[in-house]
mmCIF file of all heavy atoms in Angstrom:
data_model
loop_
_atom_site.group_PDB
_atom_site.id
_atom_site.type_symbol
_atom_site.label_atom_id
_atom_site.label_comp_id
_atom_site.label_asym_id
_atom_site.label_seq_id
_atom_site.Cartn_x
_atom_site.Cartn_y
_atom_site.Cartn_z
ATOM 1 N N TYR A 1 34.586 29.527 -68.264
ATOM 2 C CA TYR A 1 35.461 29.012 -69.225
ATOM 3 C C TYR A 1 34.690 28.915 -70.649
ATOM 4 O O TYR A 1 33.443 28.837 -70.642
ATOM 5 C CB TYR A 1 35.904 27.604 -68.838
ATOM 6 C CG TYR A 1 34.963 26.637 -68.373
ATOM 7 C CD1 TYR A 1 34.221 25.734 -69.175
ATOM 8 C CD2 TYR A 1 34.791 26.488 -67.003
ATOM 9 C CE1 TYR A 1 33.211 24.887 -68.650
ATOM 10 C CE2 TYR A 1 33.863 25.574 -66.411
ATOM 11 C CZ TYR A 1 33.157 24.831 -67.217
ATOM 12 O OH TYR A 1 32.252 23.916 -66.804
ATOM 13 N N TYR A 2 35.447 29.095 -71.694
ATOM 14 C CA TYR A 2 34.867 29.345 -72.909
ATOM 15 C C TYR A 2 35.895 29.177 -73.958
ATOM 16 O O TYR A 2 37.129 29.021 -73.710
ATOM 17 C CB TYR A 2 34.291 30.613 -73.063
ATOM 18 C CG TYR A 2 35.260 31.821 -73.038
ATOM 19 C CD1 TYR A 2 35.885 32.307 -74.161
ATOM 20 C CD2 TYR A 2 35.482 32.470 -71.747
ATOM 21 C CE1 TYR A 2 36.913 33.282 -74.055
ATOM 22 C CE2 TYR A 2 36.473 33.423 -71.693
ATOM 23 C CZ TYR A 2 37.140 33.864 -72.837
ATOM 24 O OH TYR A 2 38.127 34.855 -72.746
ATOM 25 N N TYR A 3 35.528 29.176 -75.257
ATOM 26 C CA TYR A 3 36.514 29.067 -76.394
ATOM 27 C C TYR A 3 36.065 30.013 -77.561
ATOM 28 O O TYR A 3 34.821 30.264 -77.630
ATOM 29 C CB TYR A 3 36.756 27.645 -76.878
ATOM 30 C CG TYR A 3 35.771 27.046 -77.830
ATOM 31 C CD1 TYR A 3 35.764 27.241 -79.128
ATOM 32 C CD2 TYR A 3 34.625 26.440 -77.228
ATOM 33 C CE1 TYR A 3 34.750 26.754 -79.980
ATOM 34 C CE2 TYR A 3 33.709 25.820 -77.992
ATOM 35 C CZ TYR A 3 33.740 26.049 -79.409
ATOM 36 O OH TYR A 3 32.764 25.457 -80.192
ATOM 37 N N PHE A 4 37.008 30.412 -78.317
ATOM 38 C CA PHE A 4 36.590 31.058 -79.640
ATOM 39 C C PHE A 4 37.566 30.697 -80.621
ATOM 40 O O PHE A 4 38.676 30.333 -80.410
ATOM 41 C CB PHE A 4 36.540 32.598 -79.457
ATOM 42 C CG PHE A 4 37.838 33.232 -79.159
ATOM 43 C CD1 PHE A 4 38.719 33.819 -80.152
ATOM 44 C CD2 PHE A 4 38.352 33.358 -77.910
ATOM 45 C CE1 PHE A 4 39.896 34.409 -79.848
ATOM 46 C CE2 PHE A 4 39.554 33.935 -77.608
ATOM 47 C CZ PHE A 4 40.345 34.497 -78.552
ATOM 48 N N ASP A 5 37.171 30.591 -81.958
ATOM 49 C CA ASP A 5 37.961 30.255 -83.156
ATOM 50 C C ASP A 5 38.363 31.446 -83.952
ATOM 51 O O ASP A 5 37.545 32.331 -84.098
ATOM 52 C CB ASP A 5 37.269 29.291 -84.005
ATOM 53 C CG ASP A 5 37.065 27.834 -83.426
ATOM 54 O OD1 ASP A 5 37.802 27.483 -82.466
ATOM 55 O OD2 ASP A 5 36.174 27.172 -83.774
ATOM 56 N N GLU A 6 39.552 31.455 -84.360
ATOM 57 C CA GLU A 6 39.992 32.497 -85.267
ATOM 58 C C GLU A 6 41.039 32.038 -86.211
ATOM 59 O O GLU A 6 42.074 31.586 -85.796
ATOM 60 C CB GLU A 6 40.619 33.762 -84.480
ATOM 61 C CG GLU A 6 41.058 34.933 -85.391
ATOM 62 C CD GLU A 6 41.543 36.113 -84.593
ATOM 63 O OE1 GLU A 6 42.811 35.883 -84.253
ATOM 64 O OE2 GLU A 6 40.871 37.082 -84.349
ATOM 65 N N GLY A 7 40.750 32.092 -87.474
ATOM 66 C CA GLY A 7 41.608 31.622 -88.381
ATOM 67 C C GLY A 7 42.010 30.143 -88.334
ATOM 68 O O GLY A 7 41.117 29.158 -88.130
ATOM 69 N N SER A 8 43.261 29.883 -88.160
ATOM 70 C CA SER A 8 43.709 28.462 -88.006
ATOM 71 C C SER A 8 43.826 27.998 -86.506
ATOM 72 O O SER A 8 44.398 26.998 -86.168
ATOM 73 C CB SER A 8 45.116 28.363 -88.664
ATOM 74 O OG SER A 8 45.144 28.638 -90.007
ATOM 75 N N PHE A 9 43.247 28.788 -85.646
ATOM 76 C CA PHE A 9 43.430 28.497 -84.221
ATOM 77 C C PHE A 9 42.194 28.436 -83.470
ATOM 78 O O PHE A 9 41.256 29.189 -83.585
ATOM 79 C CB PHE A 9 44.424 29.590 -83.600
ATOM 80 C CG PHE A 9 45.716 29.662 -84.347
ATOM 81 C CD1 PHE A 9 45.972 30.507 -85.259
ATOM 82 C CD2 PHE A 9 46.683 28.799 -83.726
ATOM 83 C CE1 PHE A 9 47.222 30.520 -85.906
ATOM 84 C CE2 PHE A 9 47.949 28.880 -84.461
ATOM 85 C CZ PHE A 9 48.169 29.710 -85.458
ATOM 86 N N ARG A 10 42.036 27.605 -82.429
ATOM 87 C CA ARG A 10 41.191 27.608 -81.333
ATOM 88 C C ARG A 10 41.709 28.068 -80.146
ATOM 89 O O ARG A 10 42.854 27.524 -79.665
ATOM 90 C CB ARG A 10 40.628 26.156 -81.243
ATOM 91 C CG ARG A 10 39.636 25.992 -79.925
ATOM 92 C CD ARG A 10 38.751 24.836 -80.051
ATOM 93 N NE ARG A 10 37.720 25.096 -81.185
ATOM 94 C CZ ARG A 10 36.736 24.285 -81.383
ATOM 95 N NH1 ARG A 10 36.562 23.193 -80.635
ATOM 96 N NH2 ARG A 10 35.792 24.484 -82.317
ATOM 97 N N HIS A 11 41.140 29.123 -79.606
ATOM 98 C CA HIS A 11 41.639 29.694 -78.370
ATOM 99 C C HIS A 11 40.681 29.351 -77.220
ATOM 100 O O HIS A 11 39.421 29.534 -77.282
ATOM 101 C CB HIS A 11 41.596 31.227 -78.545
ATOM 102 C CG HIS A 11 42.426 31.733 -79.661
ATOM 103 N ND1 HIS A 11 43.758 32.034 -79.498
ATOM 104 C CD2 HIS A 11 42.130 32.014 -80.983
ATOM 105 C CE1 HIS A 11 44.228 32.500 -80.734
ATOM 106 N NE2 HIS A 11 43.254 32.421 -81.516
ATOM 107 N N ILE A 12 41.204 28.649 -76.174
ATOM 108 C CA ILE A 12 40.440 28.119 -75.102
ATOM 109 C C ILE A 12 40.824 28.804 -73.755
ATOM 110 O O ILE A 12 42.034 28.793 -73.294
ATOM 111 C CB ILE A 12 40.698 26.553 -74.958
ATOM 112 C CG1 ILE A 12 40.286 25.931 -76.297
ATOM 113 C CG2 ILE A 12 39.902 26.011 -73.767
ATOM 114 C CD1 ILE A 12 40.527 24.390 -76.181
ATOM 115 N N ALA A 13 39.863 29.427 -73.195
ATOM 116 C CA ALA A 13 40.149 30.099 -71.754
ATOM 117 C C ALA A 13 39.532 29.261 -70.713
ATOM 118 O O ALA A 13 38.464 28.861 -70.695
ATOM 119 C CB ALA A 13 39.480 31.455 -71.759
ATOM 120 N N MET A 14 40.437 28.835 -69.806
ATOM 121 C CA MET A 14 40.075 28.006 -68.640
ATOM 122 C C MET A 14 39.876 28.933 -67.438
ATOM 123 O O MET A 14 40.370 30.112 -67.282
ATOM 124 C CB MET A 14 41.228 27.018 -68.335
ATOM 125 C CG MET A 14 41.554 26.145 -69.474
ATOM 126 S SD MET A 14 42.621 24.780 -69.055
ATOM 127 C CE MET A 14 44.193 25.755 -68.771
ATOM 128 N N ASP A 15 39.171 28.414 -66.443
ATOM 129 C CA ASP A 15 38.991 29.022 -65.109
ATOM 130 C C ASP A 15 39.683 28.238 -64.076
ATOM 131 O O ASP A 15 39.164 27.148 -63.777
ATOM 132 C CB ASP A 15 37.450 29.211 -64.731
ATOM 133 C CG ASP A 15 37.193 29.714 -63.338
ATOM 134 O OD1 ASP A 15 38.173 30.067 -62.694
ATOM 135 O OD2 ASP A 15 36.125 29.453 -62.885
ATOM 136 N N THR A 16 40.816 28.617 -63.723
ATOM 137 C CA THR A 16 41.675 27.864 -62.753
ATOM 138 C C THR A 16 41.485 28.278 -61.346
ATOM 139 O O THR A 16 42.290 27.874 -60.406
ATOM 140 C CB THR A 16 43.203 27.956 -63.182
ATOM 141 O OG1 THR A 16 43.488 29.368 -63.136
ATOM 142 C CG2 THR A 16 43.356 27.273 -64.533
ATOM 143 N N VAL A 17 40.599 29.225 -60.946
ATOM 144 C CA VAL A 17 40.324 29.652 -59.646
ATOM 145 C C VAL A 17 39.564 28.520 -58.778
ATOM 146 O O VAL A 17 38.488 28.068 -59.279
ATOM 147 C CB VAL A 17 39.570 30.960 -59.640
ATOM 148 C CG1 VAL A 17 39.386 31.459 -58.218
ATOM 149 C CG2 VAL A 17 40.337 31.974 -60.492
ATOM 150 N N ASN A 18 40.114 28.243 -57.718
ATOM 151 C CA ASN A 18 39.403 27.342 -56.840
ATOM 152 C C ASN A 18 38.530 28.037 -55.788
ATOM 153 O O ASN A 18 38.999 28.896 -54.950
ATOM 154 C CB ASN A 18 40.449 26.490 -56.013
ATOM 155 C CG ASN A 18 39.791 25.442 -55.115
ATOM 156 O OD1 ASN A 18 38.660 25.377 -54.877
ATOM 157 N ND2 ASN A 18 40.575 24.314 -54.775
ATOM 158 N N PRO A 19 37.195 27.986 -56.039
ATOM 159 C CA PRO A 19 36.340 28.821 -55.114
ATOM 160 C C PRO A 19 36.384 28.460 -53.618
ATOM 161 O O PRO A 19 35.849 29.161 -52.775
ATOM 162 C CB PRO A 19 34.868 28.409 -55.653
ATOM 163 C CG PRO A 19 35.034 27.181 -56.331
ATOM 164 C CD PRO A 19 36.444 27.181 -56.868
ATOM 165 N N ASN A 20 37.141 27.334 -53.237
ATOM 166 C CA ASN A 20 37.346 26.986 -51.935
ATOM 167 C C ASN A 20 38.319 27.832 -51.250
ATOM 168 O O ASN A 20 38.550 27.569 -50.050
ATOM 169 C CB ASN A 20 37.483 25.462 -51.860
ATOM 170 C CG ASN A 20 36.382 24.744 -52.283
ATOM 171 O OD1 ASN A 20 35.213 24.788 -51.744
ATOM 172 N ND2 ASN A 20 36.480 23.976 -53.260
ATOM 173 N N GLY A 21 39.048 28.604 -51.904
ATOM 174 C CA GLY A 21 40.025 29.418 -51.390
ATOM 175 C C GLY A 21 41.494 29.187 -51.662
ATOM 176 O O GLY A 21 41.751 28.157 -52.263
ATOM 177 N N TYR A 22 42.418 30.059 -51.374
ATOM 178 C CA TYR A 22 43.772 30.019 -51.547
ATOM 179 C C TYR A 22 44.195 30.502 -52.852
ATOM 180 O O TYR A 22 43.526 30.308 -53.866
ATOM 181 C CB TYR A 22 44.350 28.583 -51.217
ATOM 182 C CG TYR A 22 45.839 28.496 -51.110
ATOM 183 C CD1 TYR A 22 46.549 29.362 -50.215
ATOM 184 C CD2 TYR A 22 46.641 27.598 -51.893
ATOM 185 C CE1 TYR A 22 47.947 29.319 -50.127
ATOM 186 C CE2 TYR A 22 48.013 27.583 -51.779
ATOM 187 C CZ TYR A 22 48.699 28.461 -50.953
ATOM 188 O OH TYR A 22 49.938 28.350 -50.829
ATOM 189 N N ALA A 23 45.439 31.144 -52.961
ATOM 190 C CA ALA A 23 45.876 31.784 -54.159
ATOM 191 C C ALA A 23 46.151 30.845 -55.231
ATOM 192 O O ALA A 23 45.897 31.227 -56.476
ATOM 193 C CB ALA A 23 47.029 32.635 -53.776
ATOM 194 N N ASP A 24 46.690 29.635 -55.014
ATOM 195 C CA ASP A 24 46.989 28.663 -56.033
ATOM 196 C C ASP A 24 45.544 28.236 -56.715
ATOM 197 O O ASP A 24 44.585 28.309 -56.115
ATOM 198 C CB ASP A 24 47.729 27.499 -55.547
ATOM 199 C CG ASP A 24 49.291 27.891 -55.487
ATOM 200 O OD1 ASP A 24 49.621 29.041 -55.806
ATOM 201 O OD2 ASP A 24 50.068 27.064 -55.123
ATOM 202 N N GLY A 25 45.813 27.648 -57.924
ATOM 203 C CA GLY A 25 44.602 27.224 -58.628
ATOM 204 C C GLY A 25 44.498 25.715 -58.941
ATOM 205 O O GLY A 25 45.304 24.861 -58.574
ATOM 206 N N SER A 26 43.468 25.386 -59.587
ATOM 207 C CA SER A 26 43.163 23.998 -59.993
ATOM 208 C C SER A 26 41.876 24.032 -60.954
ATOM 209 O O SER A 26 41.231 25.029 -61.007
ATOM 210 C CB SER A 26 42.974 22.942 -58.891
ATOM 211 O OG SER A 26 42.052 23.522 -57.995
ATOM 212 N N LEU A 27 41.533 22.851 -61.517
ATOM 213 C CA LEU A 27 40.281 22.825 -62.348
ATOM 214 C C LEU A 27 39.330 21.893 -61.578
ATOM 215 O O LEU A 27 39.683 21.009 -60.863
ATOM 216 C CB LEU A 27 40.620 22.238 -63.694
ATOM 217 C CG LEU A 27 41.449 22.857 -64.742
ATOM 218 C CD1 LEU A 27 41.573 22.115 -66.033
ATOM 219 C CD2 LEU A 27 40.898 24.247 -64.921
ATOM 220 N N ASP A 28 38.087 22.161 -61.824
ATOM 221 C CA ASP A 28 37.123 21.170 -61.273
ATOM 222 C C ASP A 28 36.927 20.169 -62.368
ATOM 223 O O ASP A 28 37.223 20.310 -63.571
ATOM 224 C CB ASP A 28 35.673 21.968 -61.025
ATOM 225 C CG ASP A 28 35.068 22.593 -62.367
ATOM 226 O OD1 ASP A 28 34.434 21.941 -63.039
ATOM 227 O OD2 ASP A 28 35.325 23.842 -62.399
ATOM 228 N N GLN A 29 36.240 18.973 -62.049
ATOM 229 C CA GLN A 29 36.180 17.864 -62.832
ATOM 230 C C GLN A 29 35.275 18.117 -64.096
ATOM 231 O O GLN A 29 35.732 17.711 -65.274
ATOM 232 C CB GLN A 29 35.523 16.719 -62.134
ATOM 233 C CG GLN A 29 36.462 16.181 -60.967
ATOM 234 C CD GLN A 29 37.657 15.239 -61.397
ATOM 235 O OE1 GLN A 29 37.610 14.932 -62.523
ATOM 236 N NE2 GLN A 29 38.516 14.971 -60.442
ATOM 237 N N ALA A 30 34.222 18.826 -63.947
ATOM 238 C CA ALA A 30 33.401 19.128 -65.050
ATOM 239 C C ALA A 30 34.075 19.971 -66.148
ATOM 240 O O ALA A 30 34.020 19.742 -67.397
ATOM 241 C CB ALA A 30 32.145 19.806 -64.602
ATOM 242 N N GLN A 31 34.846 20.875 -65.680
ATOM 243 C CA GLN A 31 35.632 21.726 -66.585
ATOM 244 C C GLN A 31 36.827 21.029 -67.395
ATOM 245 O O GLN A 31 36.892 21.214 -68.529
ATOM 246 C CB GLN A 31 36.210 22.947 -65.887
ATOM 247 C CG GLN A 31 37.013 23.961 -66.852
ATOM 248 C CD GLN A 31 37.670 25.083 -66.187
ATOM 249 O OE1 GLN A 31 38.416 25.865 -66.784
ATOM 250 N NE2 GLN A 31 37.399 25.208 -64.842
ATOM 251 N N PHE A 32 37.336 20.088 -66.611
ATOM 252 C CA PHE A 32 38.414 19.246 -67.228
ATOM 253 C C PHE A 32 37.857 18.376 -68.326
ATOM 254 O O PHE A 32 38.349 18.291 -69.512
ATOM 255 C CB PHE A 32 39.092 18.321 -66.195
ATOM 256 C CG PHE A 32 40.403 17.817 -66.592
ATOM 257 C CD1 PHE A 32 41.240 18.413 -67.446
ATOM 258 C CD2 PHE A 32 40.659 16.449 -66.218
ATOM 259 C CE1 PHE A 32 42.521 17.786 -67.843
ATOM 260 C CE2 PHE A 32 41.885 15.712 -66.666
ATOM 261 C CZ PHE A 32 42.727 16.504 -67.490
ATOM 262 N N ALA A 33 36.634 17.885 -68.135
ATOM 263 C CA ALA A 33 35.975 17.078 -69.149
ATOM 264 C C ALA A 33 35.549 18.043 -70.338
ATOM 265 O O ALA A 33 35.679 17.641 -71.512
ATOM 266 C CB ALA A 33 34.589 16.459 -68.609
ATOM 267 N N TRP A 34 35.052 19.246 -70.054
ATOM 268 C CA TRP A 34 34.862 20.207 -71.038
ATOM 269 C C TRP A 34 36.165 20.515 -71.948
ATOM 270 O O TRP A 34 36.102 20.585 -73.154
ATOM 271 C CB TRP A 34 34.252 21.373 -70.478
ATOM 272 C CG TRP A 34 34.153 22.664 -71.378
ATOM 273 C CD1 TRP A 34 33.063 22.874 -72.254
ATOM 274 C CD2 TRP A 34 35.017 23.584 -71.722
ATOM 275 N NE1 TRP A 34 33.342 24.050 -73.057
ATOM 276 C CE2 TRP A 34 34.530 24.584 -72.670
ATOM 277 C CE3 TRP A 34 36.314 23.917 -71.205
ATOM 278 C CZ2 TRP A 34 35.312 25.623 -73.073
ATOM 279 C CZ3 TRP A 34 36.986 24.979 -71.665
ATOM 280 C CH2 TRP A 34 36.519 25.908 -72.527
ATOM 281 N N LEU A 35 37.278 20.694 -71.271
ATOM 282 C CA LEU A 35 38.506 21.097 -71.789
ATOM 283 C C LEU A 35 38.794 19.980 -72.862
ATOM 284 O O LEU A 35 39.195 20.172 -74.026
ATOM 285 C CB LEU A 35 39.634 21.168 -70.874
ATOM 286 C CG LEU A 35 41.005 21.320 -71.424
ATOM 287 C CD1 LEU A 35 41.158 22.716 -72.099
ATOM 288 C CD2 LEU A 35 41.993 21.280 -70.221
#
């Protein structure tokens, strides 16, 4: 996960993949705090 700024906008890319498996996603706690 990361972010970049351009003009009047902040663009934030999240990682929603759960490394524990299954197609659906979620965030880990550390990333949610970072967000």
Side-chain angles (χ1 to χ4, degrees):
Y1 45 89
Y2 62 89
Y3 77 89
F4 63 96
D5 292 334
E6 183 181 80
S8 301
F9 299 92
R10 170 157 291 186
H11 303 271
I12 301 176
M14 301 186 291
D15 170 16
T16 56
V17 179
N18 187 339
N20 294 300
Y22 190 52
D24 279 1
S26 51
L27 296 182
D28 59 85
Q29 295 282 349
Q31 183 183 175
F32 193 37
W34 170 88
L35 175 66

